[in-house]
């Protein structure tokens, strides 16, 4: 029969290399990421951002007029929807966000709109307002 000459021989254990535990032996077959964090970098590079829109004088004046109207009617519970630019923390560009709410205060010195929920928007980031 096959292997009759070696079937009863004792299992060889190396004197030079210590015996591995089951966990250590299984670890050698675990998945291997050659470039740790590379997939995250690829995803970040592929993420698209919007360029900041530069408003012309007419659009700036229209936003200013709406803000003046809102300032005069601040105690009336007037709801507005503001579209504004949020710069990206990691890349050039950013995204446009809409916020709907009641204005609590317009600070013309700091150039900030404060809503009743205490969120704030910088006036220079605004690209559109709807009442």
């Amino acid at each position: 029969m096959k292997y009759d000459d070696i079937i009863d021989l004792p299992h060889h254990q190396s004197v030079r290399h210590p015996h591995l535990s089951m966990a250590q032996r299984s670890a050698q077959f675990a998945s291997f990421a050659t470039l740790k964090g590379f997939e995250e970098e690829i995803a970040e590079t592929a993420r698209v951002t919007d360029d900041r829109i530069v408003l012309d004088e007419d659009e700036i004046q229209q936003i200013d007029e709406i803000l003046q109207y809102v300032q005069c009617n601040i105690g009336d519970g007037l709801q507005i929807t503001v579209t504004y630019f949020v710069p990206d923390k990691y890349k050039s560009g950013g995204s446009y966000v809409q916020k709907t709410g009641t204005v609590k205060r317009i600070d013309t010195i700091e150039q900030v709109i404060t809503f009743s929920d205490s969120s704030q928007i910088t006036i220079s980031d605004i690209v559109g307002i709807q009442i």
Side-chain angles (χ1 to χ4, degrees):
M1 282 208 206
K2 285 186 173 182
Y3 308 113
D4 281 341
D5 56 336
I6 62 169
I7 200 79
D8 293 323
L9 290 177
H11 179 71
H12 172 72
Q13 287 198 355
S14 174
V15 181
R16 225 180 251 165
H17 304 289
H19 186 69
L20 295 176
S21 68
M22 288 293 260
Q24 290 171 323
R25 281 191 281 165
S26 65
Q28 67 183 324
F29 299 106
S31 64
F32 177 67
T34 55
L35 299 172
K36 192 170 185 107
F38 186 66
E39 289 181 17
E40 290 84 12
E41 282 293 322
I42 295 286
E44 176 62 25
T45 303
R47 190 172 53 84
V48 177
T49 58
D50 295 321
D51 293 332
R52 183 184 284 264
I53 296 172
V54 178
L55 301 176
D56 63 26
E57 290 297 320
D58 292 336
E59 292 168 323
I60 293 171
Q61 181 161 351
Q62 183 180 14
I63 289 171
D64 188 47
E65 289 171 1
I66 294 171
L67 287 175
Q68 287 176 24
Y69 176 79
V70 171
Q71 178 77 31
C72 292
N73 296 290
I74 233 166
D76 299 341
L78 187 64
Q79 287 253 335
I80 65 169
T81 300
V82 179
T83 304
Y84 62 101
F85 182 77
V86 177
D88 193 278
K89 293 179 182 178
Y90 304 107
K91 297 171 74 170
S92 64
S95 62
Y96 287 92
V97 180
Q98 281 194 333
K99 163 83 176 156
T100 300
T102 305
V103 176
K104 181 167 85 175
R105 180 171 183 238
I106 298 177
D107 187 340
T108 55
I109 308 245
E110 295 292 323
Q111 294 290 302
V112 172
I113 298 174
T114 305
F115 286 85
S116 57
D117 64 356
S118 299
S119 60
Q120 294 184 324
I121 298 174
T122 305
I123 292 174
S124 62
D125 291 334
I126 296 173
V127 294
I129 299 179
Q130 296 149 356
I131 297 175

